[in-house]
Amino acid sequence: MSLSVLILGVEGDWGLMGSYGRAFAEVGGDVSYWNFSAAVAAHARFGKVGQRIAGYLPIEPWILKANRDLITTVMERKPDVVAFTGADLRAGALAQLKIACPKTKLVLLWQDTLLNLGDALLNCMRVVDIVGCYSQTAIAQLESLGAKKVLWTPFAMDCELFSEQVDISPSERLSFQSDVSFIGNHRPERERDILRLLDAGVKVKVWAAATWPKLARNKDRVAEYFQGKPLFGKDVVKAMRCSTLALNLIDPLNFPAANMRVFETYACSATPLCSRCPEVESIFPDREAAFYFDDAQLSQTALALLKQSELVKAVGERGRQAALAAHKYAHRAHAILHALELN
């Protein structure tokens, strides 16, 4: 009989819990979903205005009612595992769950910088059975803050979101083709690095939210690289595959951990040119399974690699095979169940 897993999220979602839901199903779990955000919105007063407020501001009476709904839902379904990420959960609600459903294991997946770890979620970490943390280096800090058990669960490949089976037409290839692609939101340091590449003669195409031109410091240069829109799903695969190098400019607050783009690049069968990322460099070694750069050497590194297309392709493929072998979300789900002694 398979284990039952309740995911606090939406089935088919593109976010982290959607990936974990698919992963738990892949390893044999009987997966169901419950949308915590929708529960909060359902308790919002003042109609659509209240629902919008609930999406931006924590209104404690509405949040507590949603937490109560969660308790009754878990008591009815009696899942073996409840997995969730940064929702408006309350430690008291989780503690009540441990009383009402002592056999149910609670898994909190914290896949973000510690800067965003608020007191409410920190209190939840002291109650759950396992905290899955994307940063190996952060484990000791979370344990010192009171988490009972912390497991290193870095991001991973979701081969359903970024499928290998993607056809690219000649017109699409022409549209997406570049030396370097970048897909991500604006940061001042990202804009700086992209301009450095352009100044060195590297052809760069950037896909991002429409807010990029407004946020850019050098607005007169946006047209040189900005493609006018963000990309999702199959289009991400196409853009990465049609560029020689897929640029991954990791937010400094993630250091020394990897962001999800490391694994998405391999899922897309592309080759990463990535900010220094010590926690995964032993898994994906430099010039063997990935290419890394220090800030001052980005342009120099890119120019050298653009002259070595065969090496670039070989390194990307080796990285992809390493990721497929041990770094899909199914591997993460299996590790969580093993740590919970449920498999």
Side-chain angles (χ1 to χ4, degrees), residues 196-211:
R196 284 177 178 174
L197 288 170
L198 290 170
D199 290 340
V202 178
K203 183 179 179 181
V204 184
K205 288 187 177 180
V206 172
W207 287 269
T211 53

Side-chain angles (χ1 to χ4, degrees), residues 89-330:
L89 296 166
R90 294 295 178 260
L94 298 181
Q96 186 63 43
L97 274 179
K98 298 301 292 181
I99 295 171
C101 304
K103 293 183 179 180
T104 296
K105 303 297 186 182
L106 303 179
V107 178
L108 170 54
L109 296 160
W110 181 248
Q111 308 293 80
D112 203 353
T113 169
L114 298 189
L115 172 69
N116 294 328
L117 181 57
D119 289 344
L121 205 55
L122 181 58
N123 288 332
C124 290
M125 287 186 174
R126 296 169 178 145
V127 179
V128 301
D129 296 278
I130 279 185
V131 175
C133 179
Y134 83 123
S135 172
Q136 189 175 34
T137 316
I139 290 175
Q141 294 300 322
L142 292 176
E143 289 176 341
S144 70
L145 288 169
K148 291 189 292 185
K149 187 172 185 177
V150 186
L151 180 69
W152 186 36
T153 56
F155 292 105
M157 291 175 68
D158 187 329
C159 295
E160 186 171 328
L161 284 185
F162 304 103
S163 173
E164 188 177 15
Q165 306 302 318
V166 172
D167 294 324
I168 305 174
S169 69
S171 61
E172 287 176 325
R173 190 169 296 278
L174 182 63
S175 174
F176 287 118
Q177 198 166 35
S178 64
D179 293 332
V180 172
S181 62
F182 177 73
I183 302 168
N185 293 327
H186 181 274
R187 299 279 193 281
E189 61 273 13
R190 291 175 176 177
E191 180 187 355
R192 176 204 65 201
D193 287 342
I194 287 163
L195 293 179
R196 284 177 178 174
L197 288 170
L198 290 170
D199 290 340
V202 178
K203 183 179 179 181
V204 184
K205 288 187 177 180
V206 172
W207 287 269
T211 53
W212 186 296
K214 297 177 183 178
L215 297 171
R217 292 180 177 177
N218 293 273
K219 292 180 171 52
D220 57 329
R221 301 196 63 185
V222 170
E224 295 180 42
Y225 59 87
F226 183 57
Q227 303 304 299
K229 62 180 181 180
L231 296 179
F232 304 98
K234 291 182 179 180
D235 286 336
V236 172
V237 179
K238 294 174 183 179
M240 286 197 184
R241 285 191 190 169
C242 290
S243 60
T244 305
L245 295 162
L247 183 62
N248 183 9
L249 298 168
I250 299 179
D251 191 304
L253 293 184
N254 281 323
F255 189 86
N259 62 3
M260 66 176 64
R261 187 53 45 81
V262 170
F263 301 94
E264 289 172 350
T265 302
Y266 292 128
C268 293
S269 296
T271 303
L273 176 58
C274 185
S275 310
R276 282 288 170 193
C277 195
E279 287 192 0
V280 298
E281 288 186 42
S282 61
I283 300 170
F284 305 114
D286 191 22
R287 300 189 70 82
E288 292 182 23
F291 296 106
Y292 302 96
F293 65 88
D294 297 305
D295 286 347
Q297 279 124 12
L298 171 57
S299 298
Q300 179 182 349
T301 302
L303 287 170
L305 292 174
L306 291 173
K307 298 174 183 177
Q308 304 174 73
S309 60
E310 292 303 316
L311 172 65
V312 168
K313 290 179 182 178
V315 166
E317 182 57 25
R318 284 198 294 269
R320 174 178 168 80
Q321 292 306 316
L324 284 169
H327 299 284
K328 298 195 298 182
Y329 277 106

